[in-house]
Amino acid sequence: MGKSALLALGGGGLSGAAVLAALVGSPIGIIAVYLAALPLLMAGLALGMSGFGLAAAAGLALATVFGGFAAAGLYAGMHVIPSWLIVQQSLRTTGAAAGQWRPIGHVLATLTLLMAFVVAATSLAGGAGGASAGVEESVRALLATATEMIAGLDEETRTALIDQVAPLFPGFSAVFWLLTIVANAALAQAVLVARSWNLRPKPRWSAVRLPGWFDWPLVVSAVIGLIGSGDIAYVARNVSVILLTPYFLVGLAVVHCFARQARSRTLLLMAFYSLLMFFFVFAAMLVAALGIAEQWVGIRRRLGPSPPAAND
């Protein structure tokens, strides 16, 4: 067995072990599970689809042997399938010219559509479990069970918390995982580029742009969420939140381009991310709106050329 195959199998085993450690409640595993996709992505982006296949097989085998089919299914859904899609899309060329790789914005759009489809399908399937229970009622029941484990939380506070979280809980949960997977992909590519193990060049995130067709799923879901009712409207609103995530990343790219024009770039970015951290929901919506504006009117083009950063 060659060195590349051994590295792929080792990375897949490491990925599966991270998920298993989280399932048994290990403190290290709870942190490592957020990086479980990293070895899969590194294997795929360095060795191609064959390397990714070996890594995924090793991780799935480990999860099945030590955690059963339920653990393997969870591992596949949360880590293997999104990582496969990223690798498969990232290593494609456009066909327009030799060495012209698929734009990172197209990869991001495809991954986001997958997340949105999974949330919509699972939400509707879960909400159909009872004759009278809808999707939101099922989410509220799940949150009620989860909040019962929080010590010192009285009934009034628990009800208020559920009322605030339930309307967009599936959407924000998917957004968190989507950003986690994207961060793993960016980290994997950065590590590979630093060691010259990469198959494609490191993408410029400050130049990320979404395909034009991606506006339509957002428009359709937003309209349904506004004028619809019942489960369909609830799911559409949560899907809209997920579909706003790529625009949020485009908005971040605009902020970084603007910061390069300023004298105190580091101070400006520190202030921006501090505000984003403390007022995340409101600030994130503003950044996503900035990303939409960039897609439609080209704010970065109006800012003029800016010097590329070393960690772009």
Side-chain angles (χ1 to χ4, degrees), residues 49 64 70 145 206 238 308:
M49 292 304 299
T64 304
T145 303
S206 63
N238 281 274

Side-chain angles (χ1 to χ4, degrees), residues 139-278:
V139 171
R140 287 179 176 273
L142 177 65
L143 291 174
T145 303
T147 53
E148 287 177 356
M149 303 177 186
I150 303 177
L153 197 63
D154 59 76
E155 185 64 26
E156 183 179 353
T157 304
R158 190 161 67 93
T159 301
L161 179 62
I162 293 173
D163 289 339
Q164 290 181 350
V165 174
L168 296 175
F169 178 75
F172 277 112
S173 299
V175 167
F176 173 76
W177 197 248
L178 177 59
L179 292 176
T180 300
I181 294 293
V182 170
N184 274 270
L187 178 58
Q189 183 70 352
V191 171
L192 295 176
V193 169
R195 288 161 175 75
S196 300
W197 294 346
N198 54 304
L199 294 178
R200 68 167 285 169
K202 183 179 178 181
R204 288 190 60 200
W205 282 96
S206 63
V208 63
R209 182 172 179 81
L210 304 175
W213 55 260
F214 191 75
D215 293 339
W216 290 107
L218 176 62
V219 171
V220 171
S221 64
V223 169
I224 295 175
L226 288 173
I227 68 176
S229 61
D231 288 350
I232 296 299
Y234 178 80
V235 172
R237 287 193 293 269
N238 281 274
V239 166
S240 298
V241 171
I242 300 169
L243 295 177
L244 281 171
T245 307
Y247 295 98
F248 169 76
L249 295 176
V250 173
L252 288 182
V254 175
V255 171
H256 277 257
C257 287
F258 177 78
R260 290 183 194 171
Q261 310 284 350
R263 293 182 179 179
S264 304
R265 174 193 174 193
T266 303
L267 183 62
L268 179 62
L269 289 177
M270 287 177 59
F272 167 75
Y273 280 105
S274 297
L275 290 173
L276 184 62
M277 181 174 59
F278 286 108

Side-chain angles (χ1 to χ4, degrees), residues 25-100:
S26 169
I28 297 177
I30 294 174
I31 298 174
V33 70
Y34 296 110
L35 296 172
L38 182 61
L40 299 177
L41 290 163
M42 289 185 66
L45 294 174
L47 304 174
M49 292 304 299
S50 60
F52 176 83
L54 286 174
L60 286 169
L62 190 65
T64 304
V65 170
F66 292 99
F69 289 107
L74 184 66
Y75 173 65
M78 296 185 67
H79 300 284
V80 176
I81 295 176
S83 299
W84 168 83
L85 184 63
I86 290 174
V87 172
Q88 191 270 342
Q89 290 288 305
S90 297
L91 298 184
R92 289 180 61 184
T93 55
T94 61
Q100 187 169 349

